[in-house]
Amino acid sequence: MIAPLFALLLAATPPGIAGNWVTQDRSAIVRVGDCGGTICGRIVQILRRGAPTGDIHNPDPAQRRRPLVGIAVLSGFTAQGAGATGGRAYDPESGRSYRSYLSLNDDGTLKVTGCVAFFCRSQTWTRAR
């Protein structure tokens, strides 16, 4: 039952970016897929031993106790070609959100770019096995 449901949720997401991704610093696995008509990515597993498991850097003190697993770190994206644009990336290590876009690299990795004004930084995520 879960596998067909997951396949249905990924239907609106470009096939290249849908699925589970290991973040560049290898701290978490993020599942990218459809979230009610937009594309989002939620933390599904924390990989780094001893890392905080709560959203301790959130600017809203009421949110600092919520667990990181399940948090949408990518939200509000619209599919564009093999990638997605118009979304936001939340960085739990700083508690900040950034205007962001996603693009699939030729080698099958996912480029996650976050921007403030005209300054942008990118990370490369690898597909989880």
Side-chain angles (χ1 to χ4, degrees):
M1 175 79 177
I2 290 177
L5 178 61
F6 184 64
L8 179 65
L9 291 175
L10 295 178
T13 307
I17 66 170
N20 293 339
W21 296 93
V22 178
T23 58
Q24 181 171 301
D25 64 0
R26 306 196 55 76
S27 64
I29 295 177
V30 175
R31 178 169 295 145
V32 175
D34 182 76
C35 290
T38 63
I39 298 166
C40 74
R42 295 186 180 277
I43 296 175
V44 294
Q45 185 177 358
I46 303 296
L47 298 174
R48 191 180 301 151
R49 207 176 278 197
T53 57
D55 193 13
I56 61 173
H57 299 292
N58 194 298
D60 178 356
Q63 298 293 322
R64 292 181 185 157
R65 289 185 167 207
R66 70 179 176 166
L68 287 177
V69 172
I71 286 180
V73 291
L74 303 172
S75 61
F77 289 88
T78 303
Q80 182 175 352
T85 61
R88 306 280 302 167
Y90 173 67
D91 175 13
E93 290 185 11
S94 69
R96 295 188 175 123
S97 292
Y98 304 93
R99 181 176 45 87
S100 185
Y101 60 92
L102 311 173
S103 57
L104 193 63
N105 294 321
D106 290 339
D107 65 359
T109 58
L110 183 66
K111 182 178 179 182
V112 179
T113 302
C115 303
V116 174
F118 62 89
F119 180 73
C120 299
R121 290 180 61 179
S122 296
Q123 286 192 0
T124 301
W125 294 3
T126 55
R127 195 168 295 278
R129 300 185 196 280

